[in-house]
Amino acid sequence: QKEVEQNSGPLSVPEGAIASLNCTYSDRGSQSFFWYRQYSGKSPELIMSIYSNGDKEDGRFTAQLNKASQYVSLLIRDSQPSDSATYLCAVGGDYKLSFGAGTTVTVRA
Amino acid sequence: DAGITQSPRYKITETGRQVTLMCHQTWSHSYMFWYRQDLGHGLRLIYYSAAADITDKGEVSDGYVVSRSKTENFPLTLESATRSQTSVYFCASSPTSVNYNEQFFGPGTRLTVL
């Protein structure tokens, strides 16, 4: 059973601050890593994918991957109220993904 | 333009009834997946399909049946619904590339079994 663990949250950050989300995974053979955002009552939406060690930036989002430590993170810079959602970490080694339970982020004005 | 759609969006049924949830995608993605999402359990894989007529079980497949006669459709059937199958069901699809296996989700079906 591939395990994906996320910090439990909820995470409350002030508007404009950086939100930092963490995820660890158990399968060293994992090759692909994703962050999904899920608003309440909606479906998961892919926001970041990362496949190699290092950082990947897309707008206000930065994903960081460290395969040696089996760790992937997501930074949300200049957090906005619209970033309030649950963030799911997903890890894949073949065609299937394993998901973490999610971290709920609340951005307070 | 629709991408991936699910129907119905909401369903209430009774214990013991057969229920079929529909999933349709317009991207011609080879891989399709069914998940259920419950509080405290996150997303759990029910079934997946690599192509038409190729399906395989996920971690929580008991009580569910799938078929895939066409690439674009992947219906999920609850043969005899139980209360424990009350959940939100998501269908997802993925392009054919082992190195780039992003999954894209449909809007979900909220199923209540009374």
Side-chain angles (χ1 to χ4, degrees), chain A residues 5-20:
Chain A
E5 300 286 340
Q6 297 184 239
N7 42 344
S8 57
L11 180 64
S12 180
V13 298
E15 186 173 355
I18 296 175
S20 178

Side-chain angles (χ1 to χ4, degrees), chain A residues 1-108:
Chain A
Q1 175 92 16
K2 298 178 181 179
E3 293 188 354
V4 179
E5 300 286 340
Q6 297 184 239
N7 42 344
S8 57
L11 180 64
S12 180
V13 298
E15 186 173 355
I18 296 175
S20 178
L21 307 174
N22 302 317
C23 174
T24 59
Y25 58 95
S26 63
D27 184 1
R28 284 197 171 273
S30 299
Q31 299 171 12
S32 54
F33 307 86
F34 307 97
W35 285 99
Y36 286 83
R37 177 176 62 199
Q38 187 174 25
Y39 293 114
S40 180
K42 301 296 185 182
S43 61
E45 173 194 9
L46 179 66
I47 56 171
M48 289 290 287
S49 57
I50 187 166
Y51 299 91
S52 55
N53 283 330
D55 295 359
K56 179 181 178 182
E57 186 175 316
D58 184 359
R60 296 185 295 108
F61 298 101
T62 299
Q64 299 173 317
L65 175 62
N66 184 326
K67 290 185 179 181
S69 300
Q70 295 176 243
Y71 175 90
V72 58
S73 66
L74 179 71
L75 299 177
I76 307 174
R77 293 184 302 280
D78 188 23
S79 294
Q80 300 297 309
S82 60
D83 296 325
S84 297
T86 297
Y87 291 81
L88 307 176
C89 174
V91 175
D94 46 25
Y95 296 103
K96 294 182 287 184
L97 298 181
S98 296
F99 287 83
T103 299
T104 298
V105 173
T106 300
V107 180
R108 58 184 191 273

